[in-house]
Amino acid sequence: MRTWLATSAVVLGIAALTRFAAPALGAAIAFTLLVNRRHHRNRRIADAVVYGLISASIFVSWVALSQIWNGHSLGRKLWFYGNMGSEEWLRSFGSLMAWLLPDQAPNLLRAFLFAVFAAAAFGLILAHSRQAVDRSRKMIVAHDFLPMILGLFFFCYMAFMVLATSIEANLLLNSRYAFPPYVMTVMAVTIALAGLKRTTRFSTILHIGMVVLSIVVLGSHSVRTVVRSLDAYRTGIGYAGVEWTQSPTMLAAKELPMDALIYSNGPDAIAYVLKRPAFFIPARFQLRTGIEDPSDPFEQQLSRLQRAPDRQRAFIVMFDNVTWRFYRANEAELKRYLRLSNSATRPDGRIYEVLPAGVRE
């Protein structure tokens, strides 16, 4: 029914505003509409087009309205800023394999197991999908196409990730990005495996092998969950962890005057732990583009920081364990451009007071 088709497209369009996996799911659904032989070819093509237009129009409308009302939408120009290299792709592949076996397992074993699982999963889903297409000629559809949608999601998602890494700089596909295709593939394989008829020796071996693999993977997940839960119980999670709450540098920052300005490479940690405002140190370039922010150049950011002590005392708090903000100025650059006085040196960082222009330490 076209009513349900439009409803599904609206839901997908809304989902695309919040979750990056939605466009890949929409592409998988649209492709499935094309191969569903319940309707004639023209109807199938029209359904896929209508589905895409409705869902895409919601996202495009949001971009346009956001640009009109707020002056920004995507936050930057839409261009190819990607800088993924072979090393980054290899690490991304490692994140995908981690869902089967942990990083402590030999890479060769992890790669072999991943290849075997991928081949078996592809074969299972393909066989199930061919049956679904054949059954659709007889108007028997129901849930038959669900494994096909879930399986196609993997390929559409990976294509979407290639596009994302082409237009986004410094984008590493960690376990967060590997989670959606893992979940969808497990669901697809489970449904296809349940419908597998063990009429041959090969199908019986395949069924037993996939069941054994699922037991190994679930056992691995259970062990890792227990270990990480105990570790989180002992040390805390994120900025609530002891690494931050008991940080010598954080404790030293707590003693800074309450009316002082604080700049840092970890202002979010300071705001969370100390419950006081803090600001980022200048950025040499934008993380998402790899180029300098044209609306707020590095020199302009430095100039504001240089003038800050003219109004009130200003301090810079540098944490050694903040290693992921490489796009912001490092200590050597700050010392070169600013007049700094060392206020505290701790095992995990340092605190500097920014001196007014013309004042030497």
Side-chain angles (χ1 to χ4, degrees):
M1 294 178 61
R2 285 284 173 83
T3 301
W4 285 111
L5 181 73
T7 302
S8 176
V10 169
V11 173
L12 179 77
I14 296 173
L17 299 179
T18 59
R19 301 304 302 168
F20 57 84
L25 179 60
I29 294 174
F31 183 84
T32 305
L33 290 173
L34 290 174
V35 299
N36 183 355
R37 298 186 179 180
R38 184 178 185 178
H39 302 294
H40 56 80
R41 184 179 60 184
N42 292 341
R43 169 67 184 271
R44 283 181 272 157
I45 294 175
D47 284 349
V49 171
V50 168
Y51 190 81
L53 287 177
I54 293 176
S55 57
S57 64
I58 293 176
F59 182 81
V60 173
S61 298
W62 171 84
V63 172
L65 291 175
S66 181
Q67 189 69 41
I68 294 172
W69 288 343
N70 302 315
H72 62 82
S73 52
L74 299 178
R76 59 176 178 80
K77 293 181 178 180
L78 188 60
W79 190 247
F80 294 95
Y81 297 107
N83 55 358
M84 286 276 282
S86 56
E87 183 178 348
E88 287 77 16
W89 279 112
L90 188 60
R91 279 189 291 170
S92 301
F93 179 58
S95 298
L96 193 61
M97 292 190 299
W99 288 105
L100 294 181
L101 287 180
D103 295 339
Q104 290 77 7
N107 283 333
L108 188 61
L109 174 62
R110 297 169 70 218
F112 174 76
L113 190 62
F114 181 87
V116 170
F117 170 75
F122 179 78
L124 271 172
I125 297 172
L126 181 62
H128 193 282
S129 299
R130 291 179 63 181
Q131 293 177 6
V133 172
D134 291 339
R135 285 164 59 86
S136 68
R137 293 195 185 98
K138 304 175 184 178
M139 307 294 285
I140 305 174
V141 182
H143 59 272
D144 284 357
F145 280 98
L146 184 56
M148 177 187 289
I149 295 174
L150 298 174
L152 285 171
F153 173 84
F154 180 89
F155 296 100
C156 295
Y157 183 86
M158 289 304 163
F160 181 74
M161 286 294 99
V162 170
L163 175 62
T165 55
S166 298
I167 63 178
E168 188 95 350
N170 305 304
L171 180 60
L172 181 62
L173 305 183
N174 54 27
S175 57
R176 170 176 174 261
Y177 294 100
F179 183 68
Y182 168 76
V183 172
M184 292 293 199
T185 303
V186 168
M187 292 171 62
V189 170
T190 301
I191 297 172
L193 194 63
L196 178 66
K197 297 179 180 180
R198 288 176 282 176
T199 55
T200 64
R201 182 184 178 89
F202 176 76
S203 60
T204 301
I205 294 175
L206 178 62
H207 187 275
I208 295 174
M210 294 296 280
V211 171
V212 170
L213 177 61
S214 66
I215 294 174
V216 171
V217 172
L218 286 175
S220 171
H221 287 333
S222 300
V223 172
R224 281 186 273 178
T225 299
V226 170
V227 171
R228 292 177 182 178
S229 297
L230 291 174
D231 184 62
Y233 176 78
R234 289 191 300 266
T235 63
I237 299 176
Y239 292 149
V242 296
E243 178 184 20
W244 291 102
T245 58
Q246 298 180 15
S247 162
T249 303
M250 187 69 74
L251 296 176
K254 187 178 182 180
E255 303 302 321
L256 295 176
M258 291 304 298
D259 61 344
L261 290 172
I262 296 180
Y263 294 84
S264 175
N265 59 347
D268 40 0
I270 293 175
Y272 183 88
V273 177
L274 301 183
K275 302 298 186 290
R276 62 178 296 179
F279 306 94
F280 275 113
I281 56 176
R284 290 181 285 108
F285 57 88
Q286 295 174 297
L287 175 65
R288 298 175 61 191
T289 63
I291 61 175
E292 190 176 53
D293 184 358
S295 63
D296 192 17
F298 181 60
E299 293 294 335
Q300 185 172 308
Q301 298 175 55
L302 277 175
S303 178
R304 285 200 303 270
L305 185 50
Q306 288 170 341
R307 296 193 304 268
D310 295 339
R311 304 188 306 273
Q312 60 193 106
R313 296 182 69 182
F315 294 86
I316 294 177
V317 180
M318 299 296 293
F319 296 100
D320 290 338
N321 51 358
V322 177
T323 58
W324 61 91
R325 288 181 174 139
F326 53 87
Y327 52 96
R328 297 197 173 272
N330 54 42
E331 281 186 65
E333 290 175 313
L334 293 175
K335 290 179 179 178
R336 186 164 65 249
Y337 292 115
L338 304 171
R339 300 186 186 280
L340 302 179
S341 174
N342 193 314
S343 298
T345 298
R346 297 293 184 267
D348 63 340
R350 285 146 303 282
I351 300 177
Y352 302 94
E353 182 172 2
V354 183
L355 302 178
V359 177
R360 294 188 177 274
E361 181 182 359

